[in-house]
């Protein structure tokens, strides 16, 4: 009975953490950059629960957890990582590889959620935060809410990835992880594209139309707006249906993409009120997207990355499974045929041919 009582009252452990509200402060983000002599530079914004001026804390350490410990030695409240919501990794660090160890450190911490968002930052994030302290309070909270918004509504406008999703792809066969990339300077923090990883090393970044195509092929299969300046047209509410088929000897891939959406804006020379000219415009869009998609896939082959998980189509019942290395050899030399079938609905009446 005594043992049961101790267990129920959480007194079974002699090590009890002091969690008095007045003595703790939640951590919203960690920013990790390269430090001097191979060290890590770790920064966080002190978000006190009382009204006082915020400030950025930075430490150069050898280990991630060491940074958390040293933050507590220079701030009067104990910083709790249980509210950690974002890990921002400098791009130079991501290009060197080895970020798996950083992420794994957070994953094995039972106090930290698996929903922590991972971001790659190009530029100096600390400089941006310092500048924003005098302009807008709770900037780190607004950044978190932005990521949460795009994840929740699946608008396909940016790649949103949490720790669990990244590590699942990293450790699964025939899957390469990816992360969103943001550019940071003194005054701005903007999304620029998607970083593709070979294991845990960034090898390429896709932007603009290529990134939008990636959203349609793999991520959300939806785009709120797809602008094509070359054809003077903006498409809206685009939904995709993607089918992939590998040849038996893995020498070729057939990629079929069906898109449904509507024409939001058009400034070209075709009269899209006439059915014939509308069909001609749709054909031009199909050709354009086929070319852009083919170029994107060729770059993926060149850099030996498979974020679209094409390799999973090699898994068949009662057949011998190939290794990741064997798949990459096939993937590098594979011929790819891309075909788009687009159905668009203009916001005006169309004169049908008799």
């Amino acid at each position: 009975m005594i043992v049961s009582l101790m267990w129920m009252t959480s007194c079974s452990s002699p090590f009890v953490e002091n969690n008095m509200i007045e003595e703790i402060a939640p951590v919203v983000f960690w920013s990790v950059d390269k430090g001097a002599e191979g060290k890590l530079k770790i920064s966080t914004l002190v978000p006190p629960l009382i009204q006082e001026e915020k400030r950025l804390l930075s430490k150069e350490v050898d280990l991630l957890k060491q940074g958390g410990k040293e933050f507590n030695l220079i701030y009067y409240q104990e910083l709790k990582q249980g509210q950690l919501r974002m890990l921002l990794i400098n791009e130079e660090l991501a290009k060197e590889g080895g970020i798996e160890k950083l992420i794994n450190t957070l994953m094995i911490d039972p106090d930290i959620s698996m929903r922590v968002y991972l971001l790659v930052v190009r530029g100096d994030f600390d400089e941006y935060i310092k500048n924003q302290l005098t302009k807008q309070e709770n900037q780190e909270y607004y950044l978190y809410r932005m990521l949460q918004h795009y994840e929740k509504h699946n608008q396909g406008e940016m790649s949103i990835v949490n720790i669990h999703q990244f590590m699942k792809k990293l450790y699964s066969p025939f899957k390469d992880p990816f992360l969103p990339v943001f550019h940071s300077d003194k005054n701005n923090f903007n999304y620029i594209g998607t970083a593709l990883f070979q294991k845990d090393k960034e090898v390429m970044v896709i932007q603009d139309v290529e990134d939008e195509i990636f959203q349609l092929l793999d991520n959300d299969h939806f785009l709120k707006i797809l602008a094509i300046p070359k054809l003077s047209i903006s498409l809206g509410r685009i939904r995709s249906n993607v089918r992939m088929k590998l040849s038996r000897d893995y020498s070729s891939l057939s990629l079929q993409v069906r898109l449904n959406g509507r024409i939001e804006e058009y400034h070209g020379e075709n009269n899209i009120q006439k059915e014939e000219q509308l069909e001609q415009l749709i054909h031009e869009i199909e050709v354009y997207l086929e070319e852009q998609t083919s170029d994107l896939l060729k770059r993926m082959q060149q850099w030996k990355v498979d974020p679209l998980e094409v390799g999973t189509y090699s898994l068949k019942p009662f057949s011998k499974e190939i290794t990741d290395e064997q798949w990459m050899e096939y993937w590098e030399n594979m011929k790819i045929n891309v075909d788009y079938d687009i159905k668009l609905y203009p916001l005006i009446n169309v004169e049908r041919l008799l």
Side-chain angles (χ1 to χ4, degrees):
M1 291 177 61
I2 294 174
V3 172
S4 300
L5 182 61
M6 291 175 65
W7 178 266
M8 293 174 63
T9 57
S10 301
C11 295
S12 57
S13 173
F15 305 104
V16 180
E17 291 192 19
N18 184 355
N19 289 325
M20 293 178 63
I21 295 297
E22 298 82 1
E23 298 180 3
I24 65 174
V27 174
V28 177
F29 76 87
W30 272 354
S31 172
V32 185
D33 200 348
K34 292 176 62 178
E37 300 178 356
K39 291 181 177 291
L40 297 174
K41 179 185 176 184
I42 303 177
S43 303
T44 190
L45 191 65
V46 179
L49 299 178
I50 60 176
Q51 292 296 325
E52 71 175 43
E53 184 177 352
K54 290 193 176 184
R55 57 195 176 101
L56 189 72
L57 303 181
S58 296
K59 277 289 183 179
E60 288 197 4
V61 294
D62 295 295
L63 301 169
L64 195 65
K65 285 289 186 176
Q66 181 187 1
K69 177 182 177 180
E70 295 201 10
F71 284 148
N72 286 329
L73 298 178
I74 61 175
Y75 187 61
Y76 72 93
Q77 287 183 311
E78 182 183 359
L79 300 179
K80 293 288 188 178
Q81 283 75 49
Q83 290 297 319
L84 187 68
R85 290 295 177 261
M86 297 176 291
L87 180 66
L88 300 100
I89 304 170
N90 185 269
E91 188 173 38
E92 295 302 317
L93 201 62
K95 288 181 177 180
E96 290 184 358
I99 65 171
E100 170 194 359
K101 297 176 182 178
L102 296 176
I103 299 171
N104 220 18
T105 300
L106 300 181
M107 280 199 69
I108 62 176
D109 190 333
D111 293 331
I112 295 178
S113 168
M114 293 292 100
R115 299 292 298 276
V116 174
Y117 296 120
L118 300 180
L119 295 78
V120 173
V121 179
R122 180 180 296 176
D124 193 338
F125 181 73
D126 290 1
E127 183 183 25
Y128 168 75
I129 284 292
K130 287 179 182 178
N131 187 48
Q132 292 299 311
L133 287 178
T134 59
K135 297 180 178 180
Q136 185 178 31
E137 293 184 1
N138 303 318
Q139 181 63 27
E140 75 283 7
Y141 176 72
Y142 294 132
L143 175 57
Y144 163 67
R145 288 299 301 269
M146 178 189 72
L147 298 174
Q148 189 182 50
H149 168 79
Y150 283 108
E151 179 189 46
K152 181 179 179 180
H153 295 283
N154 296 321
Q155 296 183 167
E157 295 179 18
M158 64 174 67
S159 301
I160 306 297
V161 182
N162 61 45
I163 284 182
H164 174 74
Q165 293 167 333
F166 182 88
M167 298 302 279
K168 182 180 179 181
K169 285 180 176 289
L170 182 63
Y171 290 131
S172 298
F174 312 119
K175 297 180 181 180
D176 287 318
F178 57 87
L179 289 178
V181 183
F182 290 80
H183 178 266
S184 179
D185 57 32
K186 185 176 181 180
N187 299 304
N188 301 287
F189 187 77
N190 300 319
Y191 175 78
I192 60 174
T194 302
L196 305 184
F197 284 73
Q198 189 182 78
K199 297 188 182 299
D200 65 341
K201 179 180 180 181
E202 178 192 315
V203 294
M204 64 180 288
V205 175
I206 53 177
Q207 306 178 55
D208 304 323
V209 174
E210 283 189 339
D211 189 37
E212 291 174 330
I213 290 174
F214 178 72
Q215 304 297 328
L216 290 172
L217 294 182
D218 180 75
N219 198 16
D220 290 321
H221 299 285
F222 175 77
L223 279 179
K224 191 174 182 180
I225 293 292
L226 173 60
I228 307 178
K230 184 178 180 180
L231 300 177
S232 304
I233 192 170
S234 292
L235 308 180
R237 304 291 175 179
I238 302 295
R239 297 189 180 276
S240 63
N241 186 303
V242 181
R243 292 185 179 182
M244 298 185 188
K245 184 176 181 181
L246 282 173
S247 61
R248 291 186 176 181
D249 58 358
Y250 308 129
S251 62
S252 65
L253 168 69
S254 175
L255 176 65
Q256 296 181 329
V257 185
R258 293 184 178 179
L259 296 184
N260 287 282
R262 65 189 188 189
I263 298 176
E264 298 275 358
E265 181 182 15
Y266 181 64
H267 296 291
E269 298 179 355
N270 289 338
N271 182 1
I272 59 175
Q273 287 184 291
K274 296 186 178 296
E275 184 178 19
E276 183 178 3
Q277 295 190 40
L278 176 61
E279 292 297 328
Q280 174 63 30
L281 176 61
I282 292 175
H283 175 70
E284 292 176 4
I285 297 172
E286 290 174 341
V287 172
Y288 174 80
L289 291 178
E290 287 169 358
E291 292 175 351
Q292 294 294 320
T293 304
S294 296
D295 291 342
L296 174 59
L297 294 174
K298 287 178 182 178
R299 290 183 61 204
M300 290 180 180
Q301 289 177 297
Q302 178 184 355
W303 288 103
K304 300 180 182 180
V305 291
D306 182 16
L308 299 177
E309 304 175 15
V310 181
T312 57
Y313 289 86
S314 67
L315 301 174
K316 299 177 183 178
F318 311 111
S319 62
K320 184 179 179 181
E321 183 177 335
I322 62 176
T323 65
D324 286 339
E325 291 75 17
Q326 290 174 324
W327 167 249
M328 271 302 147
E329 291 182 9
Y330 288 125
W331 175 240
E332 284 183 84
N333 303 295
M334 188 176 296
K335 294 182 179 179
I336 301 177
N337 301 310
V338 180
D339 180 55
Y340 273 79
D341 181 17
I342 301 177
K343 302 295 182 184
L344 294 179
Y345 306 95
L347 298 180
I348 56 177
N349 293 325
V350 178
E351 297 178 7
R352 303 294 179 184
L353 296 174
L354 298 177

